[in-house]
Amino acid sequence: MAESTDGTQPSGAQALLGDFAPKLVELTDEILFGDVWKRPGLSARDRSLVTVTTLAALYRTEQLDFHLRTALKNGLSKDELVEALTHLAFYAGWPNAMSAVTRLKTIIEEAGGTV
């Protein structure tokens, strides 16, 4: 994950919520990103695919942008994400998939069309 948990620089969670919700940030950094995301059973790429599709299916759009960017950094291509979200439309709902693909399109465009 892109989050820093070694104390050299604040993680995204620390920068965003460290003073407001320190325990939640600690759990996010140490347990979620420091342990769960690093377990050997799945690659970071696969964990990103699971995370993105779950967030899209549950319409958790506030977290979706971060995880779409992370999925791209973890090796998923735009085409793979579009395909996964298209597939998801039939199981989790058309609006959820359309919203997620729209967010992905914006992220790709902001990156100049390349990731």
Side-chain angles (χ1 to χ4, degrees):
M1 290 304 311
E3 300 286 334
S4 172
T5 58
D6 63 4
T8 58
Q9 62 182 351
S11 69
Q14 289 167 340
L16 184 64
L17 296 170
D19 292 338
F20 189 77
K23 186 62 177 180
L24 181 59
V25 168
E26 176 188 331
L27 293 169
T28 299
D29 289 347
E30 294 181 13
I31 306 298
L32 179 59
F33 292 122
D35 180 27
V36 174
W37 269 85
K38 293 182 179 178
R39 292 175 48 83
L42 291 173
S43 67
R45 181 188 183 282
D46 291 345
R47 289 183 191 282
S48 282
L49 182 60
V50 169
T51 302
V52 164
T53 55
T54 300
L55 290 171
L58 296 173
Y59 203 71
R60 301 300 194 256
T61 57
E62 189 169 309
Q63 297 291 311
L64 190 57
D65 284 12
F66 170 81
H67 283 286
L68 285 168
R69 287 183 180 92
T70 300
L72 292 163
K73 289 177 190 169
N74 283 341
L76 285 157
S77 70
K78 175 205 72 119
D79 291 340
E80 289 171 320
L81 288 167
V82 168
E83 187 62 29
L85 295 168
T86 299
H87 184 79
L88 183 83
F90 292 90
Y91 295 94
W94 211 267
N96 292 9
M98 290 295 287
S99 292
V101 169
T102 300
R103 294 306 315 141
L104 178 59
K105 180 179 185 277
T106 299
I107 289 165
I108 298 293
E109 288 172 350
E110 287 172 352
T114 61
V115 185

